[in-house]
Amino acid sequence: MHSESFWRKDIFSTDHKTIGKQFLFFGIFFLLFGGFQAMLLRWQLAYPGQPVPWWLMGFLYEGTGGIIDPDGFNRLFTMHGTIMIFWAITPILIGAFGNFLIPLQIGARDMAFPTLNMISFWTFFLSGVVLLLSHFLPAGSASGGWTSYPPLSLPGGGIPGLGQAFWTLSVTLMGAATMMGAINYIITVIRLRAPGMTYWRMPLSVWGLWLTSILNAIFVPVIAAGLIMLLLDQLLGTQFFVAGRLAAGGGGDPLLFQHVFWIFGHPEVYILILPVWGIVSDLLAIYSRKPAFGYKVTSICMSTIVVLSSIVWGHHMYTTGMSPLLGKAFMFLTLLISIPSSIFFFNWLGTLWRGSLHFDPPMLYTMSVIWVFGLGGLTGLYNATVTSDIYLHDTMFVVGHFHYTLAASVLFGGFAAIAHWFPRMFGRMLNPLMSKIHFWGTFITLNLVFFNMMVVGYAGQHRRIYNPSEYEFLQPLADMNVFITYAALVLGLFQILYLFNFVWSLVKGKVAETNPWRATTLEWTMDYPIPHGNFGEIPQVYHGPHEYSNPNTDQDWAPQTVEIKSS
Amino acid sequence: MSVATITSKKLFIIDEKTSSLGLIVGFVAITMLFITFLATFSSMMLKELQYIHIDLMTKMIAVGITSVLVISSLLFAISHRQWLSGKKKESSFYLASSMALGIVFLFGQISYWQLLVKQGLSGLNNVLVGMVYLMAGAHAIHLIAGLVFLAWLWLQLNKGGELKEVRYRLIGWFWHYLSALWTVILLYLIITV
Ligand SMILES: [Cu+2]
C-alpha cells in the first residue's frame, strides 16, 4: 500500500470511497438541519403565533418575542425545501452512493476522473457554506420558496437584503458540482466496466445512478441558465423576469423562469428517485433470495421514464393560464409515465412473490419504499390531471404527495442503502435492534404526517400559509394540524435515535464479515478495508447481479465472479 | 484476497477514449446551456416583449469579428497538423497566432458591445439586448478558459518535453467547438433580429 498524508487521504482525497463517505456525512448534517426546520414549521402550523418552546430552541426567536414571525416562516419553508432537495437527498443518494457504488459494483479501480471527483465534492461543500452563511445575513436568508419564482425573488418583490442572491449563487455552485459528478459517473459506467460486465449485467443500482447522471448532464445546464439570468436580475438590475409595474421599460416575463425551472425541475424529481428505484430493485432480490423479477424490463422502464420526464414539465403550470390544448398534452404525457412506473412496480412485487424473505433492517426499509412510493405515485395522478389539479394546486395535498414520493421514498431508500452498505463503508454492522425500532417508529409516524397533510390539503388548506386559524373554513382542521405536528415531532425523535445508532455502530458496532448479506455483486468480494484501487486484480464477470437460488449452484447465491456451470 | 502493491501511477491512467468521451459530455452540457439561452431569447421575441433594430452595417461588423475566431480555429488545426508531421517550430508559431486571434476576438467582442451601447442598445432596459450580451458574455468566459488551455499547450511545446497527442487534439476540439458555437449563435441572431 502506498502511504498518503492525512490531507491527501482523508480531506482532499481522490479515492471514490472516501469522497462517497464525505458526501454521506455532509448530507446527513444537512438532513438534520432541514429536518429541524420542518419541526419549527410544524410548530407554527399547530400553534400559530405561540412562542417556540425551549426544546425547539426557542432562543433562536428571541428577536421576535419568541414567536416565528411571518418573514421567519417564509424563510423556514424556503430553506427547508432547498436544503432537503439539493443538500440532503442529492449528496446522500447521488453523491455518497453514486461515488461509493459505481466503481465497486462495475469492477473499476476508481472513477474515470478522480481529480474532477474531488473538485466536485469541494465545490459542493463550498455551495453548502454559502447557503449556511446566508442564514446570518442581516436581513436573513432567502424566503421566496424553494422554487424562487420571480418577481417575488427579485429586488422589487419585497424580500429585503441579499438572501435571494445568496440562494441563487449557492444553487448555481451546487449545480456546477453536480455536473462534474455527472460527467464522471456517465463516463465511468461507459468506459470502466470490468471484463464480462455488460450493461445487462450491471446491478440495477448502477442503472439508476447512471440514468440519473444522464438527466443531470442534460438538465442541470438548463436551470443554470435560468439561475444566471435570475442572479443578473437580482444583482445587476436586468429585467429578464420582471414585468408590469416593476419593469423599467417593457420588461421581460416571469413565466419564462417557471418554464426553465420546471424543464429542469421535473427531471430533477426523477434525478432524486432513480437511484432509489435501482437500489430497491437490487435489495429486494438480495433479501428475497431470488433474481430480480424482470431485470431487463425494469431497466428499460427506468430508461423510458428518463425520456418521458423531459417533456412533462407543464403539469406544474396548469394554473398559469396556459392554453387548454397544451394543458391536455402535458396531462396526457404525464399520465403516460404511470405505465412504465407501474410495470417496474409490479416487478418489485414479482421479486417478493414466493421469495424467501429475510426481514433484516435493510429489507424493512426497502419494503417500506414500495408502500410510500406506491401511495406517492397514485396521488400523483390527481395532480397530473388538469381538472383535479386546478383544485389541488398549491394545497397541502401537493405537499403530502411530494413528501411521499421524494421525502419518504428517498429517505427510506437512503436508510436501506446505509443499512445495507454500512459494513462495506465502515467495516461494522449497523445495530439491528436500534435499526428496527427506528424503522417502525419512522414508518408509522411518517405516514401519519404525510397522509394527513393530503387530508387537510383536500379539505382546502393551502401550502405556505403562515396562520391557518385566520381562515374560517380552515378552523375545523386545527386539531388535525396539531395531530400532524405531534406525529412530526415523534418522527423527529426517532431520527435522533437513528443518529445515535449511526455513531454508536461506527465505533462499537459488531465487526462485519466480508459478505454479511451473502450478496453476489462485486463490492462484496474483497476484505475490509477496501484499498485505494479497490481490486487486486480486475475481476472477470460471468453473469448478472441477481443469481440467487440458482439450482446449478451449491449455495443459494453465486457471486458475479464465479462461473455457473449448468449440470 | 491479497492487497496488491498499488502505485497510483500504474492504476489510474486515463486513456484517450475516456477523456474524449468526457469532453463530449461536457460539450452536451455547454450546448444545453446555450440552447436554453437561445430558447428564452426566441420566446421573448415571439411574445414581442421588446424589439431590436440593428442596421446591416453593424451586423456585418459582428460577422467580421466572428470570422477572426473562425480563422483562429483554422490556424489551430494547421498547428496540430504541423506538430503531427514533426515540425515543432511551425506548430508553435501557428498555435501562437491562433491564440493571438482568440485574444483579438475577445477584444473585438468588448468593443462591439461598447458600440451597441453607444447606439442606445442597453441590456438593462431591453431584455432581448440583455440576452445577446448574456450569451456573448457566457461564451467569452468559456473562451478565456480555452485561451488558458492554449497558453498551457504553447508552454509545453516550447519547453520541449514530451506532450501527449491526445491533449493537443482535445484542446483543439474545445477551441473548434467554441468557434462553432459562437458562429451558430451569431447566425441565429442575424436571421431572427
Ligand atoms: Cu413534475
Side-chain angles (χ1 to χ4, degrees):
Chain A
M1 288 271 289
H2 63 136
S3 56
E4 290 169 321
S5 70
F6 165 75
W7 288 98
R8 287 288 294 162
K9 195 164 161 287
D10 293 318
I11 307 296
F12 296 107
S13 170
T14 55
D15 184 338
H16 72 100
K17 299 182 292 296
T18 310
I19 296 175
K21 288 177 204 171
Q22 288 173 328
F23 268 117
L24 184 65
F25 294 133
F26 180 91
I28 290 177
F29 169 77
F30 276 98
L31 187 66
L32 294 169
F33 193 86
F36 176 67
Q37 290 176 319
M39 301 298 131
L40 289 171
L41 283 168
R42 283 312 317 176
W43 177 263
Q44 167 63 21
L45 288 173
Y47 301 110
Q50 291 188 33
V52 180
W54 63 267
W55 42 270
L56 274 177
M57 299 201 201
F59 65 86
L60 291 173
Y61 290 93
E62 263 171 7
T64 48
I67 61 161
I68 302 172
D69 63 338
D71 289 341
F73 185 77
N74 291 351
R75 287 197 287 270
L76 275 178
F77 69 67
T78 299
M79 298 317 268
H80 166 72
T82 307
I83 285 174
M84 287 307 210
I85 289 171
F86 295 122
W87 279 276
I89 301 175
T90 305
I92 293 178
L93 265 303
I94 305 173
F97 287 100
N99 260 303
F100 192 79
L101 290 183
I102 291 178
L104 281 173
Q105 289 199 323
I106 64 171
R109 296 209 180 281
D110 207 307
M111 285 287 174
F113 311 109
T115 312
L116 185 69
N117 205 15
M118 185 257 287
I119 300 173
S120 164
F121 173 76
W122 286 104
T123 311
F124 214 107
F125 187 86
L126 179 69
S127 75
V129 170
V130 173
L131 189 83
L132 282 181
L133 282 179
S134 79
H135 287 84
F136 299 102
L137 290 169
S141 66
S143 56
W146 85 277
T147 47
S148 200
Y149 282 170
L152 178 64
S153 59
L154 298 181
I159 297 169
L162 284 171
Q164 290 301 138
F166 267 63
W167 181 93
T168 317
L169 185 68
S170 58
V171 179
T172 311
L173 275 172
M174 191 279 318
T178 309
M179 266 318 300
M180 297 179 215
I183 292 178
N184 237 328
Y185 295 5
I186 294 173
I187 304 300
T188 305
V189 170
I190 294 179
R191 293 291 301 157
L192 300 183
R193 279 167 295 121
M197 178 63 80
T198 61
Y199 284 100
W200 294 120
R201 285 178 179 172
M202 295 195 306
L204 286 163
S205 308
V206 177
W207 266 98
L209 289 159
W210 188 53
L211 293 172
T212 277
S213 310
I214 292 173
L215 277 178
N216 261 332
I218 296 173
F219 290 106
V220 168
V222 175
I223 189 70
L227 290 175
I228 292 168
M229 289 162 70
L230 194 67
L231 197 63
L232 292 175
D233 276 8
Q234 285 165 343
L235 295 179
L236 285 190
T238 51
Q239 311 263 309
F240 296 127
F241 301 130
V242 189
R245 192 171 51 83
L246 297 171
D253 185 1
L255 262 192
L256 275 174
F257 181 82
Q258 288 197 29
H259 279 289
V260 171
F261 186 90
W262 288 112
I263 288 174
F264 154 80
H266 189 81
E268 168 71 6
V269 307
Y270 290 98
I271 286 168
L272 300 173
I273 196 123
L274 270 160
V276 173
W277 289 346
I279 288 169
V280 165
S281 307
D282 277 340
L283 296 198
L284 284 177
I286 296 171
Y287 293 93
S288 306
R289 311 313 288 168
K290 265 183 70 189
F293 186 87
Y295 166 93
K296 274 194 189 177
V297 177
T298 299
S299 45
I300 291 170
C301 284
M302 296 202 305
S303 313
T304 312
I305 292 172
V306 163
V307 177
L308 282 176
S309 77
S310 55
I311 44 176
V312 297
W313 77 90
H315 61 219
H316 295 272
M317 300 171 66
Y318 289 149
T319 58
T320 56
M322 63 166 59
S323 103
L325 185 64
L326 198 58
K328 277 180 207 160
F330 276 123
M331 170 171 94
F332 174 72
L333 290 167
T334 305
L335 292 174
L336 266 189
I337 294 187
S338 57
I339 298 173
S341 318
S342 342
I343 293 176
F344 75 70
F345 191 84
F346 282 108
N347 283 350
W348 289 351
L349 302 181
T351 306
L352 290 172
W353 180 251
R354 294 191 167 178
S356 156
L357 306 190
H358 290 52
F359 293 104
D360 295 304
M363 180 60 155
L364 292 176
Y365 291 123
T366 305
M367 286 182 71
S368 67
V369 175
I370 303 183
W371 167 256
V372 291
F373 180 70
L375 211 64
L378 285 175
T379 51
L381 298 174
Y382 303 97
N383 297 322
T385 308
V386 180
T387 41
S388 45
D389 183 66
I390 286 175
Y391 173 73
L392 294 171
H393 185 86
D394 255 351
T395 64
M396 290 298 284
F397 184 88
V398 178
V399 177
H401 157 74
F402 70 67
H403 276 86
Y404 261 112
T405 48
L406 288 182
S409 306
V410 176
L411 262 185
F412 279 126
F415 288 141
I418 292 173
H420 182 72
W421 281 291
F422 198 85
R424 279 288 79 179
M425 292 179 136
F426 307 110
R428 289 172 188 274
M429 306 296 283
L430 206 55
N431 181 286
L433 180 67
M434 278 195 270
S435 299
K436 282 179 187 175
I437 297 172
H438 167 255
F439 165 75
W440 285 108
T442 306
F443 184 72
I444 294 167
T445 51
L446 178 142
N447 277 288
L448 292 177
V449 173
F450 297 149
F451 196 89
N452 289 319
M453 279 183 178
M454 294 197 286
V455 174
V456 293
Y458 189 62
Q461 183 174 327
H462 255 231
R463 70 195 284 197
R464 293 174 175 172
I465 49 170
Y466 172 63
N467 185 350
S469 70
E470 278 178 358
Y471 306 85
E472 207 184 335
F473 75 106
L474 292 181
Q475 277 158 9
L477 300 174
D479 289 341
M480 184 61 107
N481 276 318
V482 172
F483 178 75
I484 296 175
T485 296
Y486 277 101
L489 289 170
V490 179
L491 174 65
L493 276 182
F494 276 103
Q495 307 323 304
I496 295 174
L497 171 72
Y498 187 79
L499 187 69
F500 175 78
N501 185 12
F502 191 96
V503 177
W504 187 87
S505 301
L506 265 184
V507 187
K508 292 209 158 159
K510 197 183 116 202
V511 175
E513 30 180 324
T514 299
N515 189 355
W517 313 118
R518 292 169 297 139
T520 56
T521 39
L522 299 178
E523 79 273 26
W524 301 98
T525 54
M526 70 292 272
D527 287 333
Y528 183 85
I530 306 170
H532 194 187
N534 300 342
F535 299 92
E537 213 167 291
I538 293 295
Q540 167 74 37
V541 173
Y542 293 98
H543 52 77
H546 304 126
E547 284 302 335
Y548 296 99
S549 308
N550 186 318
N552 293 318
T553 53
D554 306 334
Q555 45 192 17
D556 82 334
W557 56 290
Q560 288 190 279
T561 49
V562 172
E563 209 174 349
I564 303 174
K565 294 196 175 69
S566 50
S567 50
Chain B
M1 243 157 281
S2 66
V3 175
T5 316
I6 291 164
T7 55
S8 40
K9 271 250 158 73
K10 236 191 208 165
L11 281 177
F12 307 109
I13 294 170
I14 300 174
D15 68 358
E16 289 190 15
K17 216 169 171 186
T18 304
S19 27
S20 317
L21 278 172
L23 189 59
I24 289 171
V25 177
F27 288 160
V28 170
I30 301 174
T31 307
M32 284 305 294
L33 181 78
F34 282 92
I35 285 179
T36 311
F37 284 145
L38 278 178
T40 314
F41 175 84
S42 314
S43 170
M44 287 170 168
M45 200 143 72
L46 287 171
K47 289 187 174 182
E48 300 188 350
L49 294 176
Q50 302 273 355
Y51 302 93
I52 302 187
H53 296 290
I54 296 173
D55 58 65
L56 189 66
M57 186 57 207
T58 317
K59 281 182 181 175
M60 291 322 288
I61 299 174
V63 174
I65 294 172
T66 304
S67 60
V68 174
L69 188 60
V70 175
I71 295 169
S72 160
S73 177
L74 288 174
L75 287 174
F76 189 100
I78 297 173
S79 133
H80 188 203
R81 284 267 172 86
Q82 301 281 352
W83 186 75
L84 284 177
S85 53
K87 296 180 186 154
K88 295 253 159 89
K89 246 192 185 165
E90 285 85 345
S91 102
S92 159
F93 167 75
Y94 282 111
L95 182 63
S97 21
S98 173
M99 211 168 10
L101 286 193
I103 295 168
V104 170
F105 169 79
L106 212 54
F107 279 99
Q109 291 286 78
I110 294 170
S111 23
Y112 191 69
W113 171 49
Q114 287 166 337
L115 175 76
L116 289 183
V117 171
K118 253 185 220 149
Q119 290 190 5
L121 294 169
S122 152
L124 296 180
N125 296 330
N126 184 327
V127 284
L128 289 179
V129 179
M131 284 309 296
V132 175
Y133 293 165
L134 174 56
M135 285 188 276
H139 179 262
I141 288 171
H142 288 87
L143 201 88
I144 290 169
L147 281 172
V148 172
F149 291 135
L150 256 57
W152 177 86
L153 193 64
W154 187 83
L155 278 177
Q156 297 301 309
L157 278 183
N158 288 287
K159 259 186 2 196
E162 208 195 332
L163 176 67
K164 282 202 199 104
E165 196 272 334
V166 65
R167 298 216 157 124
Y168 214 127
R169 185 151 34 102
L170 293 190
I171 290 174
W173 282 11
F174 189 58
W175 198 243
H176 301 319
Y177 169 80
L178 286 179
S179 63
L181 178 69
W182 185 251
T183 310
V184 170
I185 292 174
L186 186 79
L187 283 178
Y188 185 88
L189 291 177
I190 286 178
I191 292 166
T192 52
V193 166

